[in-house]
Amino acid sequence: MSRALGMVVGLEIHLQLKTNSKMFCSCSTEFAAPANTNTCPICLGWPGTLPSLNQRAVFFGLQGALGLNCDINLESWFDRKNYFYPDLPKGYQITQYQKPLGYNGTFRVGKKDFAIQKVHLEEDAGKINYINGNMEIDFNRAGIPLLEIVTEPEISSPEQARNFLRELRLFFLYLEISDCNMQEGSLRCDANISMRKVGEELSPNQVELKNMNSFQAVARALEYEGKRQSKILNEGGLIKRETRGWDGGKQKTYFLRSKEQGVDYRYFSEPDLPPVLLKQEFVNSVMGNLPRQPVERQKKWTEEWEIGEEEAAVLIAQKPRAEYFEKTACFAPPQEVAKWIKENLLQFDFPLEIPPEDLADIINRVGVGELSSTKGKEVLQLALETRKKPGEIIREKGWKQVSDEEFIKQIVEKVLQENPEVVQDYLSGKEKAIQNLIGKAMKISEGRANPRLVGNFLASKLKERENNG
Ligand SMILES: [Zn+2]
């Protein structure tokens, strides 16, 4: 008989910090540089060299840890994690093991707070590339600062894992401490997964999943692994403690290595680096200056400004877009601004080429009926192309919407005269024919007539004819 099993997932996220130079030397962190050009005796681990700590990496790490509501170790230090692997030039990785920068944090996704076990700094390893059957090692990545975030095993479905990662990525993008580019490897995620019955202890035999290069892949790998483990357990088997990779082509996990023996990394504190000492006042000031987070912004938009959830999600997806939206919303009704951005401007890079006040100006002119919405969009287009002020464009083009009654009356008469068959349609009961007539009137006025007044005039003229007929 098969048992209902629940999934227990913990995530380990590695984030490359957006510093210009590496963690312990002055080599560049540029992504696209030719292989092994961003290297020096320090990051290549030559004997006799000494590391010196990148202050900015610590600052970014502190921002990350504080943003995740962690407690901060005012004194933390680095350790050596000893193991042999070809991409590790020193034979050890410098990481924070005994005293992480931050611990005991939380991160909110939707209505749930997920516990963060720890946040610590470490250096990246080099990269192994397989080219034409050869193994080539690129040490450009060796020594790039990483922030590792370890969650408690509290995630209970592939969907939850994906949402967590999406929100976490957005959070780091708003902090501006990483590019968070999964394709370029500046955001990487491993997952520990095991299955258990409700109320059962967490199994020590967790399977670690690696090589997932998108959030979609993480979700798929967890789903596959959940089914695989459930099947084994339901057939009376045992799950082995192992590391498995994700094969995106076959949509399967596969065995990478066993963890049966457990690796002894012989950790000890790094003798070449002093401890990282932080003053409480400094930590407080970093905390006080954290940029406003996406969740906070969205809450304000939806609750105070009454922006729809869907529009808010579109606006929040990129920080420059969100900031441009907020600035524009200082000068025009936020709901209108949100609608304009969503309907007309998503294909552009933000901040837009025109100042927020100018976009607001166009929106307001449409709002008070000075411009038709069609003409408003044209003004926007021209403002983006020419960088001219909306007022100037409208003056030059003579696009001010006309509400002059005499002008509109003349146009309406003309339309009625020229389109007897449409009028007949309307009089014989096809009410929608009036839209056709409004369209024709707008065309004659080159979009300048106030469409609401045109509609009103047409309706009353048609009514007259109805009564006379
Ligand atoms: Zn270097």
Side-chain angles (χ1 to χ4, degrees):
M1 199 186 78
S2 77
R3 305 179 293 174
L5 292 164
M7 184 179 282
V8 185
V9 176
L11 299 175
E12 281 175 23
I13 297 110
H14 284 94
L15 197 69
Q16 273 186 5
L17 296 173
K18 218 161 79 174
T19 55
N20 294 324
S21 60
K22 291 187 183 179
M23 187 78 140
F24 302 113
C25 63
S26 55
C27 289
S28 164
T29 54
E30 191 201 342
F31 173 73
N36 295 308
T37 52
N38 291 339
T39 54
C40 75
I42 296 174
C43 55
L44 289 176
W46 289 12
T49 55
L50 280 175
S52 58
L53 182 58
N54 184 330
Q55 216 173 357
R56 197 154 186 80
V58 179
F59 177 68
F60 282 161
L62 186 59
Q63 283 191 309
L66 286 170
L68 293 170
N69 305 304
C70 284
D71 292 330
I72 302 297
N73 277 316
L74 294 180
E75 178 176 357
S76 63
W77 61 79
F78 288 93
D79 302 285
R80 285 190 186 177
K81 180 182 183 179
N82 299 281
Y83 64 96
F84 175 77
Y85 206 67
D87 64 4
L88 195 68
K90 293 194 289 287
Y92 59 85
Q93 180 194 25
I94 303 180
T95 178
Q96 292 190 308
Y97 178 68
Q98 304 171 70
K99 277 267 185 184
L101 189 60
Y103 59 98
N104 211 7
T106 55
F107 183 62
R108 172 158 281 222
V109 181
K111 291 191 171 68
K112 185 170 162 55
D113 280 324
F114 290 89
I116 306 291
Q117 196 184 89
K118 60 174 184 169
V119 174
H120 71 253
L121 291 163
E122 63 184 29
E123 60 174 340
D124 211 343
K127 193 170 191 301
I128 298 176
N129 298 311
Y130 293 93
I131 298 166
N132 303 328
N134 293 322
M135 181 181 181
E136 297 184 1
I137 308 176
D138 179 3
F139 288 114
N140 282 351
R141 208 177 68 178
I144 287 186
L146 295 179
L147 194 65
E148 181 173 338
I149 297 100
V150 182
T151 76
E152 293 289 352
E154 290 186 345
I155 292 165
S156 55
S157 72
E159 198 46 41
Q160 214 173 51
R162 181 164 47 187
N163 288 339
F164 178 92
L165 288 167
R166 254 193 217 137
E167 294 292 321
L168 191 73
R169 177 174 179 273
L170 199 59
F171 162 81
F172 284 122
L173 283 174
Y174 273 73
L175 272 188
E176 294 184 16
I177 62 172
S178 172
D179 292 331
C180 297
N181 187 330
M182 285 194 94
Q183 269 71 47
E184 294 182 0
S186 59
L187 175 67
R188 308 195 283 273
C189 173
D190 300 333
N192 287 301
I193 166 172
S194 62
M195 305 298 289
R196 67 169 168 193
K197 278 196 291 187
V198 180
E200 200 176 51
E201 286 281 299
L202 189 59
S203 161
N205 289 343
Q206 293 168 30
V207 170
E208 187 183 22
L209 298 176
K210 284 187 174 292
N211 304 347
M212 300 167 290
N213 61 4
S214 69
F215 298 154
Q216 177 82 336
V218 173
R220 292 248 169 91
L222 287 173
E223 198 177 328
Y224 177 87
E225 193 56 25
K227 282 185 190 146
R228 187 188 73 88
Q229 292 186 19
S230 295
K231 187 163 179 282
I232 294 173
L233 291 170
N234 284 325
E235 287 166 356
L238 285 174
I239 303 298
K240 291 195 195 82
R241 200 164 162 236
E242 62 190 23
T243 301
R244 298 177 72 87
W246 171 246
D247 184 329
K250 291 185 186 148
Q251 296 281 300
K252 275 178 159 186
T253 65
Y254 60 93
F255 175 81
L256 269 176
R257 55 186 171 265
S258 166
K259 281 190 163 185
E260 294 287 278
Q261 300 88 357
V263 189
D264 180 6
Y265 290 117
R266 294 172 293 119
Y267 283 101
F268 60 88
S269 47
E270 167 61 61
D272 288 342
L273 285 165
V276 182
L277 300 175
L278 300 169
K279 286 213 173 80
Q280 187 62 53
E281 301 85 77
F282 175 68
V283 174
N284 293 347
S285 83
V286 175
M287 181 75 188
N289 289 308
L290 284 180
R292 278 167 58 234
Q293 279 309 307
V295 187
E296 224 176 292
R297 291 173 197 247
Q298 258 173 311
K299 195 166 160 355
K300 178 177 172 167
W301 301 349
T302 51
E303 289 176 7
E304 287 177 33
W305 293 356
E306 295 178 354
I307 307 289
E309 299 276 344
E310 196 192 323
E311 270 165 358
V314 169
L315 294 168
I316 204 75
Q318 289 175 13
K319 189 178 181 186
R321 186 190 290 164
E323 297 201 315
Y324 190 90
F325 161 64
E326 287 185 328
K327 280 183 196 148
T328 313
C330 296
F331 307 104
Q335 292 178 22
E336 287 301 312
V337 178
K339 211 171 87 190
W340 272 72
I341 292 181
K342 188 171 166 237
E343 288 174 5
N344 308 306
L345 294 163
L346 292 184
Q347 71 272 35
F348 294 100
D349 284 335
F350 284 81
L352 293 181
E353 299 285 354
I354 61 167
E357 307 89 88
D358 287 5
L359 175 59
D361 184 17
I362 299 168
I363 294 171
N364 288 332
R365 284 173 196 261
V366 173
V368 298
E370 191 190 313
L371 274 182
S372 68
S373 71
T374 319
K375 278 285 172 272
K377 283 172 200 167
E378 286 179 44
V379 173
L380 174 59
Q381 196 60 42
L382 285 168
L384 286 167
E385 283 167 15
T386 63
R387 316 272 167 89
K388 283 184 184 165
K389 290 274 167 202
E392 196 184 339
I393 296 168
I394 295 163
R395 239 187 343 270
E396 280 175 11
K397 297 276 179 186
W399 277 348
K400 222 168 207 172
Q401 182 162 285
V402 181
S403 301
D404 177 72
E405 291 196 10
E406 208 41 52
F407 171 76
I408 288 172
K409 235 182 226 168
Q410 279 174 15
I411 291 173
V412 166
E413 289 295 352
K414 192 165 187 272
V415 168
L416 291 173
Q417 252 171 35
E418 286 176 359
N419 299 281
E421 52 311 324
V422 188
V423 173
Q424 203 47 53
D425 280 350
Y426 178 84
L427 293 175
S428 62
K430 285 185 191 160
E431 284 188 9
K432 278 192 179 157
I434 195 167
Q435 292 303 331
N436 185 339
L437 296 171
I438 292 174
K440 287 185 160 55
M442 291 306 292
K443 204 167 173 193
I444 293 174
S445 81
E446 293 170 327
R448 287 158 62 216
N450 180 325
R452 194 171 45 83
L453 291 182
V454 170
N456 289 349
F457 266 110
L458 264 170
S460 71
K461 282 283 166 196
L462 291 166
K463 194 123 234 135
E464 270 174 35
R465 294 202 180 191
E466 222 167 8
N467 294 340
N468 295 342

